[in-house]
């Protein structure tokens, strides 16, 4: 446990000043900020919007729509590959692997840092979306704060679903980044899989594509094909599968430099 | 008892090519062990195996009397290393790089300033490693290797990229940590001249085989044994017959007789007797062999 804490601290320090942070921050803020600008631009609509009982859900789903379909998978592909490849970029695997740390701890702490960054991105996105919905009331005197009660439970559930949808992407990008030294391979393969998923949205069996789930949230379907199983089982299974495979690959690598 | 020893270490990257062949390194405690060999001899491969960076195929590695296969973490806790080039997070400062390893090794935070001072990097402040010179990065890598006050230091060509004064400083640094802190150092190099001034022991590797291991004076002695005397006389045939009668092995190469190197008194006696036989000596020559020559002979054997 002491080793895990130490290793986590070290991994966290490695993200300092890295591009991954900028991606998380811009990725979290971008869409809410654009939507906010849009609202200010059409400010005559705001009073009616804020008075409507669906104001929260309307803007939350609008923000999630852009996020889930495009920005989130792209951002996750980039951030995971960036963080996982910090050792390759700096040629530091050889030093890290001569540190007195079990391989399992190194693997686990890298994955934890990536998931923490993702979580941070989610938190930022939610705060920014909340701001996008409420801020106009601060700036315009004739605009009231939304009257409808804040749908706390629904918001948490939505976040949880999208987080789960990202896990296969995290796990597979992590696998690719550990396996290949060339940064272009995980990035290229990731974008390729994302595009395949977009095309697969109209396919009957599209739900088997591991990068599709955040878009699949908007498909109106909640089960796996004609079965009664919730499709969210699939990202969970993929995540475990990919993580297991990448751990085995990492552990059995003959050359740990 | 050796601080580090390997037994029958062999390695192949590909089936056809044996990169290491039955290496038996024996590094005595408290020594500075110079691991010498030309480019591609297998130094880095050996050191990687010793540190567990390459999966061992054959043989055993024992450090501090423990087997690397069973006590990897406790061995690494007391070992500092620098393999090939500096391993540093280039977007971080010198202090941040050290802080990160300080967490991992869980050593005293005071060590950070201490090793920065020791390697002359205290003044680098907020400068990131990406803007360091090669020599500064090399020094920082040494600082990282020394951070947790290891018992054993494994350095693979640590003077790569250092200027002459940097090389001398590095040598002084290594000598002083060896003497004052009793740290055993295993250092690889392809330059004999660099190791000769520093090391107490040496192992010479060529084409994946250890061709010599011992102290430097043993190396000289071994070479002396292999040295020759060259004679030019007025009658080589007669001289050869005469010497052979005295059980001295003699070869003839054109106009020169080649004898094994003999003690001085013996040489003087032979010379007197040859004169008595009426054979004139034009030239007696025992080429002085430098350590450099010894080294070259060893690595040019095959
Ligand atoms: N990853 C690798 N894959 C295949 N062959 C390799 C690999 N690394 C090293 N070799 C081969 O193993 C041999 C020994 O290489 P090694 O790096 O151990 O030499 P070295 O003694 O450290 O040389 P140098 O003084 O140039 O650093 C070389 O013939 C090299 O081509
Ligand atoms: Mg080398």
């Amino acid at each position: 446990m002491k080793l895990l804490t130490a290793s986590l601290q070290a991994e966290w320090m490695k993200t300092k000043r890295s591009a991954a942070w900028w991606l998380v921050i811009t990725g979290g803020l971008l869409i809410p900020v654009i939507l906010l600008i849009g609202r200010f631009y059409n400010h005559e609509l705001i009073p009616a919007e804020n008075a409507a009982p669906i104001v929260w859900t309307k803007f939350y789903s609008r923000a999630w729509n852009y996020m889930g379909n495009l920005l989130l998978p792209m951002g996750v592909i980039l951030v995971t590959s960036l963080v996982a490849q910090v050792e390759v970029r700096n040629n530091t695997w050889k030093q890290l692997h001569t540190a007195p740390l079990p391989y399992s701890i190194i693997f686990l702490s890298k994955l934890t840092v990536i998931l923490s960054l993702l979580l941070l991105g989610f938190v930022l996105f939610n705060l920014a979306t909340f701001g996008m919905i409420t801020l106009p009331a601060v700036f315009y005197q004739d605009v009231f704060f939304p009257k409808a009660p804040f749908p706390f439970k629904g918001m948490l559930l939505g976040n949880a679903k999208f987080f789960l949808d990202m896990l296969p992407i995290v796990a597979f990008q992590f696998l690719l980044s550990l396996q290949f030294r060339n940064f272009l391979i995980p990035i290229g393969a990731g974008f390729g899989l994302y595009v395949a998923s977009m095309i697969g949205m109209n396919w009957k069996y599209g739900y088997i594509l591991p990068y599709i789930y955040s878009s699949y949230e908007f498909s109106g379907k909640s089960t796996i094909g004609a079965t009664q199983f919730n499709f969210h089982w699939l990202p969970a299974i993929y995540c475990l599968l990919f993580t297991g495979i990448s751990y085995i690959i990492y552990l059995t690598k003959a050359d740990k430099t | 008892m050796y601080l580090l020893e390997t037994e029958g270490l062999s390695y192949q990257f590909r089936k056809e090519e044996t990169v290491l062949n039955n290496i038996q390194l024996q590094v005595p405690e408290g020594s500075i062990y110079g691991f010498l060999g030309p480019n591609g001899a297998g130094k880095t491969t050996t050191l990687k195996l010793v540190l567990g960076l390459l999966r061992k195929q054959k043989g055993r590695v024992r450090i501090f009397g423990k087997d690397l296969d069973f006590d990897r973490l406790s061995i690494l806790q007391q070992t500092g290393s620098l393999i090939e080039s500096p391993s540093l997070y280039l977007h971080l400062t010198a202090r941040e790089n050290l802080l990160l390893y300080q967490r991992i090794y869980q050593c005293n935070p005071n060590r950070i300033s201490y090793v920065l001072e020791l390697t002359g990097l205290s003044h680098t402040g907020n400068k990131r490693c990406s803007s360091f010179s090669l020599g500064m990065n090399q020094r920082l890598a040494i600082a990282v290797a020394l951070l947790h006050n290891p018992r054993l230091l494994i350095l693979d060509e640590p003077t790569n990229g250092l200027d002459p004064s940097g090389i001398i400083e590095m040598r002084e640094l290594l000598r002083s940590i060896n003497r004052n802190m009793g740290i055993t150092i295993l250092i690889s190099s392809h330059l004999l001249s660099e190791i000769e001034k520093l090391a107490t022991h040496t192992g010479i590797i060529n084409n994946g085989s250890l061709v010599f291991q011992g102290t430097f004076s043993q190396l000289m002695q071994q070479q002396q044994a292999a040295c020759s005397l060259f004679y030019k006389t007025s009658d080589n045939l007669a001289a050869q017959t005469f010497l052979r009668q005295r059980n001295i092995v003699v070869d003839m190469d054109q106009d020169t007789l080649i004898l094994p190197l003999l003690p001085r008194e013996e040489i003087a006696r032979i010379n007197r007797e040859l004169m008595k036989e009426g054979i004139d000596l034009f030239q007696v020559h025992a080429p002085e062999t430098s350590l450099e020559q010894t080294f070259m002979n060893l690595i040019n054997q095959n």
Side-chain angles (χ1 to χ4, degrees):
Chain A
M1 196 61 212
K2 226 168 119 190
L3 279 180
L4 182 61
T5 325
S7 170
L8 270 174
Q9 284 179 334
E11 290 300 331
W12 197 249
M13 285 182 208
K14 290 174 199 171
T15 66
K16 194 172 176 180
R17 285 196 283 270
S18 72
W21 274 103
W22 293 111
L23 275 169
V24 168
I25 293 168
T26 34
L29 301 183
L30 187 66
I31 285 171
V33 167
I34 293 174
L35 289 179
L36 182 63
I37 293 170
R39 290 194 81 193
F40 279 133
Y41 188 73
N42 295 318
H43 58 266
E44 67 282 355
L45 299 177
I46 297 175
E49 281 170 349
N50 273 18
I54 55 152
V55 55
W56 296 107
T57 18
K58 179 180 161 190
F59 284 106
Y60 255 101
S61 35
R62 190 175 290 175
W64 267 119
N65 206 325
Y66 294 117
M67 194 69 176
N69 273 319
L70 181 68
L71 208 60
L72 189 59
M74 291 288 185
V76 169
I77 290 169
L78 285 171
V79 169
T80 307
S81 312
L82 272 171
V83 174
Q85 285 216 324
V86 68
E87 314 295 346
V88 167
R89 265 202 312 286
N90 293 294
N91 195 6
T92 39
W93 273 123
K94 54 189 160 73
Q95 200 71 32
L96 186 59
H97 282 146
T98 50
L101 290 174
Y103 298 126
S104 53
I105 296 247
I106 295 176
F107 184 88
L108 189 62
S109 40
K110 283 203 179 295
L111 206 50
T112 307
V113 164
I114 294 169
L115 292 175
S116 312
L117 282 172
L118 182 59
L119 195 62
L120 193 79
F122 269 60
V123 170
L124 272 177
F125 174 74
N126 279 280
L127 289 177
T129 306
F130 185 81
M132 178 262 289
I133 300 172
T134 52
L135 273 180
V138 179
F139 286 94
Y140 296 103
Q141 285 182 344
D142 57 333
V143 173
F144 294 99
F145 279 102
K147 287 214 181 65
F150 184 69
F152 208 70
K153 210 173 135 198
M155 188 208 72
L156 276 183
L157 191 68
N159 273 287
K161 280 182 184 169
F162 280 108
F163 197 82
L164 181 62
D165 296 337
M166 285 304 108
L167 294 184
I169 306 187
V170 170
F172 197 64
Q173 290 302 130
F174 194 60
L175 188 156
L176 292 174
S177 306
L178 291 185
Q179 179 64 7
F180 299 102
R181 294 181 157 265
N182 188 339
F183 187 66
L184 288 177
I185 294 175
I187 296 293
F191 285 179
L193 278 165
Y194 168 73
V195 171
S197 301
M198 290 299 99
I199 296 167
M201 276 303 286
N202 296 322
W203 182 36
K204 208 164 94 187
Y205 302 111
Y207 54 79
I208 63 159
L209 298 171
Y211 284 35
I212 206 172
Y213 301 110
S214 62
S215 304
Y216 212 69
E217 297 289 352
F218 306 101
S219 69
K221 291 171 224 145
S222 61
T223 59
I224 304 175
T227 69
Q228 54 186 330
F229 291 106
N230 191 314
F231 81 81
H232 288 102
W233 282 106
L234 291 172
I237 292 167
Y238 270 127
C239 169
L240 290 178
L241 184 71
F242 293 153
T243 309
I245 295 173
S246 72
Y247 185 57
I248 291 168
I249 289 177
Y250 171 67
L251 213 57
T252 54
K253 244 187 182 172
D255 187 346
K256 291 208 157 50
T257 55
Chain B
M1 190 34 217
Y2 297 102
L3 195 76
L4 182 156
E5 66 187 312
T6 68
E7 253 170 59
L9 206 57
S10 298
Y11 196 80
Q12 314 184 290
F13 284 101
R14 278 163 290 143
K15 272 225 170 67
E16 323 84 69
E17 183 192 33
T18 301
V19 168
L20 291 182
N21 185 15
N22 198 22
I23 301 287
Q24 329 264 17
L25 278 192
Q26 295 175 330
V27 180
E29 176 144 30
S31 65
I32 299 182
Y33 184 105
F35 190 31
L36 278 169
N39 290 135
K43 302 180 295 291
T44 302
T45 308
T46 307
L47 298 183
K48 280 181 181 171
L49 282 167
V50 160
L51 286 164
L53 287 172
L54 286 177
R55 166 126 26 76
K56 202 149 49 61
Q57 293 170 344
K58 224 173 135 208
R60 299 211 312 166
V61 176
R62 291 179 69 78
I63 303 178
F64 314 130
K66 296 172 188 165
D67 194 307
L68 183 71
D69 290 343
F70 303 113
D71 284 310
R72 191 178 78 93
L73 296 183
S74 79
I75 289 171
L76 292 179
Q77 181 68 44
Q78 301 180 72
T79 307
S81 67
L82 161 53
I83 297 295
E84 281 190 320
S85 51
S87 292
L88 301 165
Y89 301 97
L90 296 176
H91 57 292
L92 301 179
T93 67
R95 188 170 282 277
E96 284 166 348
N97 267 286
L98 288 164
L99 191 61
L100 187 156
Y101 284 106
Q102 182 268 327
R103 292 289 150 83
I104 292 178
Y105 286 97
Q106 302 181 20
C107 55
N108 191 331
N110 296 336
R111 294 281 307 172
I112 295 176
S113 299
Y114 175 74
V115 294
L116 280 174
E117 189 81 31
L118 202 63
T119 49
L121 291 171
S122 312
H123 62 280
T124 54
N126 290 327
K127 216 166 155 185
R128 299 181 200 178
C129 294
S130 52
S131 58
F132 280 13
S133 71
L134 181 58
M136 287 164 82
N137 275 331
Q138 201 78 19
R139 278 189 255 191
L140 181 54
I142 301 278
V144 169
L146 283 172
L147 179 69
H148 55 293
N149 197 12
R151 257 176 93 186
L152 170 67
L153 203 53
I154 296 179
L155 305 174
D156 187 20
E157 310 208 15
T159 49
N160 254 351
L162 293 187
D163 55 22
S165 73
I167 292 177
I168 295 170
E169 272 173 37
M170 171 80 73
R171 200 184 296 142
E172 290 306 317
L173 174 67
L174 294 180
R175 196 176 282 144
S176 91
I177 61 174
N178 171 256
R179 288 217 186 116
N180 304 336
M181 304 175 209
I183 298 176
T184 306
I185 301 174
L186 167 55
I187 175 175
S188 86
S189 174
H190 53 262
L191 293 174
L192 175 82
S193 52
E194 187 179 285
I195 291 301
E196 187 189 351
K197 300 195 185 85
L198 178 68
T200 56
H201 292 71
T202 184
I204 298 175
I205 185 173
N206 186 33
N207 265 332
S209 297
L210 210 54
V211 290
F212 175 84
Q213 181 164 242
T215 61
F216 271 104
S217 48
Q218 281 169 343
L219 181 61
M220 286 302 274
Q221 277 166 21
Q222 174 165 337
Q223 178 64 11
Q224 294 279 315
C227 276
S228 308
L229 276 173
F230 298 92
Y231 273 74
K232 281 190 178 146
T233 67
S234 56
D235 187 350
N236 277 353
L237 274 176
Q240 188 177 26
T241 320
F242 174 83
L243 289 167
R244 282 195 173 149
Q245 280 164 4
R246 276 156 187 74
N247 287 327
I248 296 170
V249 190
V250 189
D251 274 326
M252 184 139 45
D253 181 19
Q254 292 174 8
D255 63 339
T256 310
L257 291 174
I258 305 169
L259 285 69
L261 188 64
L262 301 163
R264 286 172 174 211
E265 306 75 43
E266 187 78 357
I267 297 174
R269 199 171 54 79
I270 288 174
N271 293 353
R272 273 197 307 277
E273 289 180 6
L274 283 172
M275 306 268 264
K276 263 186 225 157
E277 294 290 311
I279 302 169
D280 290 332
L281 299 175
F282 300 147
Q283 201 181 63
V284 180
H285 177 52
E288 191 68 21
T289 51
S290 64
L291 211 49
E292 193 68 50
Q293 190 59 48
T294 318
F295 178 54
M296 291 313 288
N297 288 349
L298 278 168
I299 64 177
N300 288 329
Q301 266 164 6
N302 10 19

